[in-house]
Amino acid sequence: MRILLNDFLLKKRLHPLVLICFLFFGNLCLPGQGGCTDKEKPLDFTLSAPKNADHKTYLGLTRDDRFSLGQIKAEIVIIEIFSMYCPVCQREAANVNTLFDLIQNNRSLREKVKLIGIGAGNSDFEVDFFKEKYTIKFPLFSDTDFSIHKKIGEVRTPHFFGLALKGDCEYTIFYSQSGEVSDPEKFLETLLKDSGLKNSHE
Amino acid sequence: MNDIRIIIAGILIFLIGFSESAIAGSAVYGNRLYNPGQLKPVDSRLTVKIGEKAPDFTLPSLSGKPVRLSSFLGEKNVMLTFIPAAWTPVCSDQWPGYNIAKGLFDQYDTSLIGISVDNLPTLFAWTREMGGLWFDVLSDFWPHGSVSSTYGVLRTDGVSERAIFLIDKKGILRFIHVGDINLRPDLGMIVNELKKLN
């Protein structure tokens, strides 16, 4: 696409309409451009508050309306971009559950590190079905129209982001990995190391 | 005239950008999928209707035995899931979802049958890449797309629509969904229709 545009620029004067079309729609559609997959870039989007009261408490939310990432009470937020339809996500569900248990069973981490999942292109039904199928204890959210998926750079599933709180209500990406967790302990160790958060290994 | 050509070029640039926008493809396939880009949502005309008898057919299957639709009469409801093409992004992330939903189909006494116009060797390799499927997959390769054509879901480029047909135990078509080829049908919609069968 870049070659096509360069070619065009060399041969013809670029019409303002073409430029607007390219800048607006092109940036919306091209993976990795205008997204937030790069490290140290702030990331924010809104999600519907979970209906489950335990999940609301877990995330530190007090209201029932939509909330932004910045409202999650944590120092680190791990986001799994998954899909009910993705064989790797299905295979990895047990490992991600173990990751959640590792965090929850560690007193020094459980308040600081929170884990959520976002079902890319999945409806509420599909997310709930996945949650029930694999007895997932952490909050999962649907992204039926891929709007969040587009915002974060149209990653493949599963994909894991580590976000660290900078300032009062802004999270920046410090970790980004596509594919399997494989070893949840090692995964958590790497993630904590990259975040700079101290783990007392309780 | 020049301006019109330039505006058309702008629209083309947009469309190229749009076609590159991927769905959330699974990492399991690496870079082995072919992305056909954004396609015309529906490119065929149905030839069957709800309430009619589902046209019978026999097709070769991955299980090794030919499968005849009428063999399910009086025994099971049947859901036919037509997918356009193996090794493409949306199709590759549709059937693996049904792989974890066997319990739902069992609950509503429904046999799930996948149909594609791809040939058996292609379907074999592709479903292996998914990690295997619990339901049978039939090849509508030769005569090319004959069953897809009978049901009115063969597109002009020779692939089928992304379509779902629910057939009850009497062989009657109870639900038809020919959706946008670029999108996966929602499992919730399917389950709602399965509920109505019994």
Side-chain angles (χ1 to χ4, degrees):
Chain A
M1 182 145 174
R2 280 194 200 100
I3 294 166
L4 198 152
L5 188 67
N6 286 341
D7 226 36
F8 201 82
L9 280 167
L10 288 171
K11 289 177 187 163
K12 302 253 182 195
R13 189 173 62 85
L14 195 63
H15 193 284
L17 271 173
V18 177
L19 192 64
I20 289 165
C21 198
F22 175 71
L23 289 174
F24 182 70
F25 294 113
N27 274 346
L28 270 181
C29 299
L30 282 176
Q33 286 186 25
C36 297
T37 51
D38 294 339
K39 289 182 178 183
E40 296 304 319
K41 279 192 178 172
L43 176 66
D44 204 11
F45 47 79
T46 62
L47 295 162
S48 298
K51 288 179 188 129
N52 181 313
D54 290 344
H55 287 168
K56 265 177 68 184
T57 308
Y58 171 72
L59 297 174
L61 303 171
T62 50
R63 290 166 54 174
D64 288 328
D65 48 4
R66 293 186 74 81
F67 68 99
S68 67
L69 279 186
Q71 289 173 267
I72 298 176
K73 204 176 157 195
E75 290 179 37
I76 304 288
V77 175
I78 304 170
I79 300 178
E80 180 196 14
I81 306 295
F82 75 96
S83 168
M84 186 211 98
Y85 292 88
C86 149
V88 183
C89 306
Q90 296 165 3
R91 211 163 59 212
E92 278 293 285
N95 280 335
V96 185
N97 278 341
T98 306
L99 174 69
F100 177 72
D101 290 339
L102 284 171
I103 296 164
Q104 288 304 99
N105 294 334
N106 185 320
R107 261 191 288 169
S108 73
L109 290 182
R110 74 169 71 118
E111 293 301 321
K112 294 176 185 169
V113 183
K114 302 288 165 74
L115 173 62
I116 64 170
I118 293 172
N122 288 184
S123 64
D124 288 345
F125 180 93
E126 290 164 339
V127 166
D128 288 345
F129 179 73
F130 189 78
K131 187 175 171 59
E132 199 176 311
K133 180 84 185 173
Y134 296 105
T135 328
I136 293 166
K137 287 177 270 181
F138 55 90
L140 299 182
F141 302 90
S142 62
D143 177 28
T144 311
D145 61 359
F146 291 101
S147 57
I148 295 170
H149 183 247
K150 280 176 186 156
K151 192 165 187 170
I152 57 175
E154 298 183 313
V155 292
R156 288 189 178 170
T157 54
H159 192 102
F160 296 88
F161 287 105
L163 281 79
L165 190 63
K166 302 275 177 190
D168 283 342
C169 58
E170 190 175 83
Y171 280 102
T172 58
I173 300 168
F174 68 88
Y175 183 88
S176 177
Q177 181 207 305
S178 243
E180 294 160 72
V181 163
S182 300
D183 182 341
E185 275 188 52
K186 216 172 194 175
F187 179 89
L188 183 60
E189 201 178 298
T190 307
L191 200 122
L192 291 174
K193 194 177 157 200
D194 287 4
S195 75
L197 191 74
K198 282 181 185 151
N199 175 17
S200 57
H201 288 286
E202 287 183 34
Chain B
M1 187 67 189
N2 240 8
D3 275 2
I4 292 169
R5 285 217 308 264
I6 290 167
I7 290 167
I8 290 169
I11 293 166
L12 280 175
I13 289 170
F14 160 64
L15 288 175
I16 291 165
F18 191 62
S19 71
E20 285 178 19
S21 96
I23 66 148
S26 170
V28 76
Y29 304 105
N31 59 1
R32 293 182 292 284
L33 297 183
Y34 173 76
N35 189 348
Q38 195 79 1
L39 301 172
K40 186 179 175 185
V42 176
D43 184 32
S44 64
R45 187 170 288 183
L46 273 171
T47 53
V48 292
K49 283 192 283 197
I50 290 171
E52 287 179 355
K53 191 124 181 117
D56 196 18
F57 60 82
T58 305
L59 283 174
S61 78
L62 280 183
S63 66
K65 289 181 286 185
V67 171
R68 188 171 185 183
L69 179 66
S70 55
S71 68
F72 295 89
L73 277 173
E75 301 285 325
K76 289 269 189 185
N77 303 309
V78 175
M79 179 173 126
L80 304 178
T81 161
F82 287 83
I83 56 96
W87 301 104
T88 54
V90 183
C91 302
S92 299
D93 273 347
Q94 183 177 340
W95 287 351
Y98 304 155
N99 231 10
I100 61 168
K102 184 176 184 298
L104 289 175
F105 290 97
D106 288 346
Q107 186 182 343
Y108 298 107
D109 212 15
T110 301
S111 285
L112 179 58
I113 296 176
I115 303 180
S116 165
V117 297
D118 294 286
N119 65 8
L120 281 176
T122 301
L123 290 170
F124 176 81
W126 182 51
T127 53
R128 279 286 173 102
E129 190 81 357
M130 292 171 192
L133 297 169
W134 61 266
F135 55 92
D136 213 351
V137 172
L138 316 187
S139 169
D140 189 20
F141 179 68
W142 201 256
H144 190 79
S146 64
V147 173
S148 306
S149 181
T150 301
Y151 278 72
V153 290
L154 188 67
R155 292 168 67 95
T156 55
D157 61 357
V159 301
S160 77
E161 301 288 359
R162 193 174 309 287
I164 285 169
F165 294 88
L166 278 181
I167 301 157
D168 67 17
K169 290 177 187 173
K170 292 177 182 160
I172 304 297
L173 283 159
R174 297 282 298 275
F175 174 71
I176 300 172
H177 175 79
V178 182
D180 182 342
I181 194 169
N182 305 290
L183 302 170
R184 238 179 359 230
D186 176 26
L187 184 65
M189 172 196 73
I190 293 170
V191 171
N192 276 339
E193 296 302 327
L194 286 174
K195 280 179 191 168
K196 293 178 194 170
L197 283 180
N198 297 317

